[in-house]
């Protein structure tokens, strides 16, 4: 049978027969290989005065949308996402709620690195780059555990502002106990909810790495494997190393992911106190990259499209 290509006027386009009942748009980024799916439209505005109130509203009324964004067939077991919300802290430029396969995080360093770039690139803060010495833009992000200050490297290229690496100062971190904690220690925090969120597998063959590079892998939420060195994990490990005398104030070390080999730099920049407990402020630096944009849709009658997990 001879086949000929149809002319334009004879082409019949196939149209979906089902009605689209949900559409969510996202910008895709990653930091050190760990995804950051930034939700831009289609998500309801969570109610509540504080970010913790908003998380409770999402958990109670819109958790099906977290599954829609995070899980298959649009995501996967290890997907990670961010919902931007208005901050209630007057020092903050933006507020952020973090979503993963189990629920909602209180802090996420790799996402803050990506969000710093995203906020500058999308005009979410006002830039003042008239001074020649200005090479960074500060973006204050309110996350569920507090205020995270990010500093985004910027460079003027004619009329274009190009962003690059990002460093952030996390909330004060402290060591609860240096023994097995899952069954022996009851966790508490004087200001925010306390729970065991993740564990880190570390290369501890040497107390001091001669090249300043330390390896680890972070497992968090529902057995989710972080592709990056994990910003929160680096903060926690730096706090522990500082207490043990392995890391000095102002000393920079490198944490390398055991999964992808990507690296974050970290250093203790200040000491602090949380209630009556000695704590440290840790600065972590990394690079976030754009990886695409998405229009996520749900067609009427698609029960699997609401989200599922294959373990």
């Amino acid at each position: 049978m001879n086949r000929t290509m149809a002319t334009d006027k004879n082409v019949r386009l196939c149209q979906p027969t089902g009605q689209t009942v949900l559409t969510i748009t996202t910008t895709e980024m990653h930091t050190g290989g760990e995804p950051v799916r930034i939700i831009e439209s289609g998500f309801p505005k969570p109610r509540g005065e504080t970010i913790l109130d908003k998380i409770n509203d999402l958990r109670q009324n819109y958790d099906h949308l977290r599954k829609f964004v995070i899980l298959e067939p649009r995501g996967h077991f290890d997907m990670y996402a961010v919902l931007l919300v208005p901050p209630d802290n007057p020092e903050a430029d933006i507020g952020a709620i973090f979503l993963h396969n189990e629920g909602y995080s209180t802090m996420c360093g790799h996402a803050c690195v990506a969000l710093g770039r995203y906020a500058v690139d999308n005009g979410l803060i006002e830039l003042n780059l008239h001074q020649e010495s200005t090479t960074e833009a500060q973006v204050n992000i309110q996350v569920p555990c507090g205020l995270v200050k990010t500093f985004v490297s910027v460079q003027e290229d004619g009329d274009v502002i190009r962003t690059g690496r990002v460093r952030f100062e996390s909330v004060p971190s402290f060591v609860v106990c240096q023994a097995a904690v899952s069954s022996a220690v009851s966790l508490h925090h004087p200001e925010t909810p306390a729970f065991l969120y993740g564990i880190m597998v570390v290369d501890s063959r040497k107390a001091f790495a001669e090249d300043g590079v330390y390896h680890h892998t972070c497992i968090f939420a529902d057995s989710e494997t972080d592709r990056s060195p994990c910003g929160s994990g680096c903060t926690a490990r730096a706090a522990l190393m500082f207490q043990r005398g392995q890391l000095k104030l102002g000393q920079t070390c490198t944490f390398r992911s055991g999964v992808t080999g990507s690296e974050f730099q970290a250093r203790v920049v200040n000491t602090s106190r949380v209630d009556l407990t000695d704590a440290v402020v840790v600065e972590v630096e990394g690079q976030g990259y754009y990886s695409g944009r998405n229009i996520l849709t749900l067609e009427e009658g698609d029960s699997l499209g609401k989200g599922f997990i294959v373990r």
Side-chain angles (χ1 to χ4, degrees):
M1 179 183 296
N2 294 328
R3 297 181 181 272
T4 59
M5 184 174 292
T7 60
D8 290 344
K9 65 180 181 180
N10 293 327
V11 173
R12 298 182 61 188
L13 299 179
C14 296
Q15 297 292 336
T17 57
Q19 180 182 359
T20 298
V21 295
L22 177 62
T23 301
I24 291 178
T25 63
T26 67
T27 284
E28 307 292 319
M29 299 185 72
H30 80 88
T31 305
E34 181 70 2
V36 185
R37 174 166 282 175
I38 302 172
I39 300 168
E40 294 184 318
S41 69
F43 223 88
K45 295 181 180 179
R47 295 165 294 185
E49 295 183 3
T50 68
I51 286 188
L52 292 179
D53 292 338
K54 292 178 172 65
I55 289 178
N56 288 331
D57 184 49
L58 291 177
R59 185 181 289 114
Q60 295 173 12
N61 300 303
Y62 302 108
D63 200 54
H64 61 286
L65 296 181
R66 173 188 63 83
K67 297 176 182 177
F68 173 84
V69 169
I70 292 292
L71 306 183
E72 295 186 59
R74 297 164 200 83
H76 52 80
F77 189 81
D78 297 308
M79 177 55 71
Y80 203 92
V82 180
L83 177 65
L84 297 180
V85 295
D88 56 85
N89 186 326
E91 294 185 56
D93 299 300
I94 58 176
I97 294 177
F98 308 118
L99 294 70
H100 52 66
N101 66 8
E102 188 181 43
Y104 307 87
S105 301
T106 53
M107 170 57 187
C108 180
H110 91 274
C112 286
V113 169
L115 283 176
R117 280 197 71 193
Y118 179 87
V120 174
D121 293 337
N122 287 272
L124 302 185
I125 65 165
E126 183 177 350
L127 288 178
N128 183 10
L129 301 179
H130 299 298
Q131 299 180 356
E132 293 183 1
S133 60
T134 302
T135 58
E136 289 184 325
Q138 182 171 341
V139 182
N140 291 343
I141 306 174
Q142 185 184 3
V143 303
C145 68
L147 186 71
V148 175
K149 297 179 180 180
T150 70
F151 302 88
V152 185
S153 62
V154 294
Q155 182 178 2
E156 289 186 275
D157 187 3
D159 295 333
V160 178
I161 301 296
R162 302 194 183 279
T163 55
R165 294 181 65 81
V166 178
R167 58 187 179 92
F168 70 87
E169 290 183 5
S170 189
V171 297
S173 304
F174 56 90
V175 178
V176 174
C177 182
Q178 295 191 49
V181 299
S182 59
S183 60
V185 177
S186 177
L187 299 178
H188 67 278
H189 192 287
E191 299 173 355
T192 61
F195 54 92
L196 185 61
Y197 174 62
I199 62 172
M200 296 184 70
V201 180
V202 304
D203 181 358
S204 57
R205 291 172 294 181
K206 295 181 180 179
F208 295 91
E210 295 180 0
D211 58 357
V213 179
Y214 298 85
H215 300 74
H216 61 232
T217 298
C218 181
I219 310 296
F220 67 96
D222 183 11
S223 303
E224 188 164 338
T225 301
D226 200 325
R227 275 68 171 160
S228 79
C230 181
S232 301
C234 290
T235 300
R237 194 173 181 193
L240 181 60
M241 291 173 64
F242 181 81
Q243 187 182 74
R244 290 176 172 174
Q246 297 171 285
L247 194 63
K248 299 178 181 178
L249 186 68
Q251 179 183 357
T252 299
C253 66
T254 297
F255 293 117
R256 180 178 296 164
S257 166
V259 179
T260 62
S262 58
E263 296 180 347
F264 287 167
Q265 281 69 49
R267 63 190 182 107
V268 176
V269 295
N270 207 347
T271 58
S272 180
R273 290 183 68 84
V274 177
D275 199 13
L276 300 177
T277 304
D278 290 333
V280 294
V281 176
V282 180
E283 178 186 275
V284 179
E285 181 177 337
Q287 172 77 60
Y289 294 94
Y290 292 95
S291 55
R293 298 203 68 207
N294 263 322
I295 301 176
L296 310 177
T297 61
L298 178 66
E299 194 175 11
E300 186 178 28
D302 181 9
S303 59
L304 285 177
K306 296 179 181 179
F308 63 92
I309 285 182
V310 175
R311 298 180 183 272

